[in-house]
Amino acid sequence: MPDVLDVSPYDALLLLSFGGPEGPDDVVPFLENVTRGRGIPKERLKEVGQHYFLFGGVSPINDQNRALLDALRKDFAEHGLDLPVYWGNRNWAPYLTDTLRDMVRDGRRRVLVLATSAYASYSGCRQYRENLADALAALEPEGLEPPRVDKLRHYFNHPGFVEPMVDGVVRSLAELPDEVRDGAHIAFSTHSIPTSAADTSGPVEAHGDGGAYVRQHLDVAQVIADAVRERTGVDHPWQLVYQSRSGAPHIPWLEPDICDHLEERQAAGAPAVVMAPIGFVSDHMEVLYDLDTEATAKAGELGLPVRRSATVGADPRFAAAVRDLVVERAADERGQDVAPCALGALGASHNLCPVGCCPARAPRPAAAGADSPYA
């Protein structure tokens, strides 16, 4: 039997994700949850929901989270980490508030949170923290004492997150025809966000052109490109590109869009492209539609061979990385010296989001940070 790892003072891990519909009747209610407060008409939501209806109204994200839960529980058990793992979503069942309620009733008082978003940004970090604060506040009128919650640091450059993506790019290159493989370009793709949100992502000292969001992605892309070169002996050209833009046309968002990039690469004579979705933890709807459907169709129109590499998903190395992050954070909370594990030039991210980190346009309470009302 393995030795039991010390994770005190924590008594639970919460997997916190976005959520997604699991049938056609769920699509519009799910989108109403996502867009609550924006006044978007139901007819418009039905149009937006066509992406989901193409896949039977089912987003793969919930099944992928179930697989990740299984991987985490298996890894924890095999390595003597005695920590129950719960799951809650921001926008669909199991809802975050319901899960936190169950955790309190189970006697959980110190909770670590793993968000299915690896990078710093408002939508990828602070919004999760705002949802945590909302859920904790909802428990108080019920007579339940909210637990203390701490969010695991950004894991974009942890080896257990990066190495599966390296394997995915190498496999995708190997799938290309021999005559175009060595000249193939790599398009490292992530979610586009408003440039104003990118510029203010991360701690205040990281704000500026693209902020921490762009710098973190560029750092990971360079690490992967270097590893691919070492594995294949070929130095493939690469670029960071964006997908899944959803904002008003007059608001600047990060560019270039993946489809525009494919056109540019084809016009410049690139023989093939590997699309590597490094900004996403799993193959959820935005990966399936924006890359596997829309971008792949665009490449077909251009006569440009493309392959799409896999996301990390429930890879055992990612589960091991989460275990490493849990043990690391617990040791830090106990006041022990820790050596955080990170690849690339940026080093390990902060444990506690500081004041001014990834600010919202309208200030709202956010848990698990230096400005948390639930310290």
Side-chain angles (χ1 to χ4, degrees), residues 137-177:
L139 300 181
E140 294 179 296
E142 302 175 13
L144 299 174
E145 183 181 354
R148 163 78 180 268
V149 296
D150 291 325
K151 181 175 174 290
L152 290 172
R153 66 175 171 91
H154 301 301
Y155 46 84
F156 63 92
N157 56 2
H158 194 288
F161 185 68
V162 174
E163 289 167 0
M165 294 191 290
V166 173
D167 288 351
V169 173
V170 171
R171 281 195 299 268
S172 293
L173 287 166
E175 293 169 0
L176 287 168

Side-chain angles (χ1 to χ4, degrees), residues 6 8 327-328 330-339:
D6 187 0
S8 61
V327 173
E328 171 198 303
D332 184 71
E333 286 293 307
R334 296 193 302 270
Q336 296 177 240
D337 290 332
V338 294

Side-chain angles (χ1 to χ4, degrees), residues 11 97 99-111 135-149 374-375:
D11 54 20
T97 302
T99 299
L100 282 173
R101 183 184 297 111
D102 290 342
M103 296 177 82
V104 171
R105 289 172 175 168
D106 289 345
R108 312 304 175 191
R109 302 304 312 145
R110 287 292 302 270
V111 177
L136 292 169
L139 300 181
E140 294 179 296
E142 302 175 13
L144 299 174
E145 183 181 354
R148 163 78 180 268
V149 296
Y374 296 98

Side-chain angles (χ1 to χ4, degrees), residues 86-331:
Y86 293 76
W87 170 35
N89 288 326
R90 292 168 51 194
N91 298 297
W92 202 249
Y95 287 103
L96 172 58
T97 302
D98 295 336
T99 299
L100 282 173
R101 183 184 297 111
D102 290 342
M103 296 177 82
V104 171
R105 289 172 175 168
D106 289 345
R108 312 304 175 191
R109 302 304 312 145
R110 287 292 302 270
V111 177
L112 270 173
V113 178
L114 168 67
T116 53
S117 177
Y119 300 83
S121 69
Y122 170 74
S123 57
C125 183
R126 186 174 179 89
Q127 194 169 20
Y128 282 83
R129 294 175 49 224
E130 291 176 350
N131 293 149
L132 278 167
D134 292 342
L136 292 169
L139 300 181
E140 294 179 296
E142 302 175 13
L144 299 174
E145 183 181 354
R148 163 78 180 268
V149 296
D150 291 325
K151 181 175 174 290
L152 290 172
R153 66 175 171 91
H154 301 301
Y155 46 84
F156 63 92
N157 56 2
H158 194 288
F161 185 68
V162 174
E163 289 167 0
M165 294 191 290
V166 173
D167 288 351
V169 173
V170 171
R171 281 195 299 268
S172 293
L173 287 166
E175 293 169 0
L176 287 168
D178 293 347
E179 63 272 16
V180 299
R181 183 179 304 126
D182 286 352
H185 288 230
I186 304 173
F188 292 109
S189 181
T190 190
H191 205 301
S192 184
I193 61 176
T195 56
S196 59
D199 294 346
T200 56
S201 58
V204 172
E205 61 270 19
H207 293 180
D209 187 15
Y213 185 74
V214 171
R215 285 179 212 134
Q216 289 171 358
H217 281 87
L218 287 173
D219 196 49
V220 170
Q222 185 66 66
V223 169
I224 295 173
D226 289 346
V228 169
R229 182 183 66 248
E230 292 174 7
R231 293 265 296 271
T232 66
V234 179
D235 191 8
H236 291 273
W238 64 268
Q239 185 171 339
L240 180 63
V241 302
Y242 303 92
Q243 61 177 89
S244 312
R245 174 184 171 136
S246 59
H250 67 281
I251 298 175
W253 282 52
L254 292 173
E255 296 178 335
D257 176 77
I258 178 63
C259 290
D260 294 338
H261 178 70
L262 293 175
E263 289 185 346
E264 293 167 0
R265 290 302 88 213
Q266 191 271 341
V273 172
V274 167
M275 301 181 291
I278 62 171
F280 305 91
V281 173
S282 63
D283 287 5
H284 55 61
M285 185 56 68
E286 286 171 320
V287 175
L288 291 185
Y289 183 80
D290 295 330
L291 295 184
D292 293 356
T293 305
E294 191 173 50
T296 300
K298 171 59 71 174
E301 294 172 9
L302 298 168
L304 180 67
V306 294
R307 296 293 185 274
R308 196 269 290 175
S309 65
T311 53
V312 173
D315 189 289
R317 288 168 292 183
F318 182 44
V322 175
R323 167 172 40 89
D324 181 59
L325 291 167
V326 167
V327 173
E328 171 198 303
R329 181 60 181 273

Side-chain angles (χ1 to χ4, degrees), residues 4-46:
V4 175
L5 296 174
D6 187 0
V7 292
S8 61
Y10 297 105
D11 54 20
L13 175 69
L14 168 62
L15 174 64
L16 176 55
S17 193
F18 194 81
E22 300 200 77
D25 293 341
D26 296 344
V27 172
V28 172
F30 163 73
L31 293 173
E32 288 175 332
N33 288 342
V34 174
T35 62
R36 181 170 287 114
R38 301 184 203 173
I40 299 177
K42 182 171 288 189
E43 291 307 310
R44 173 59 182 149
L45 294 180
K46 289 179 180 178

Side-chain angles (χ1 to χ4, degrees), residues 358-373:
C358 304
R361 285 177 293 180
R364 291 179 54 201
D371 54 355
S372 172

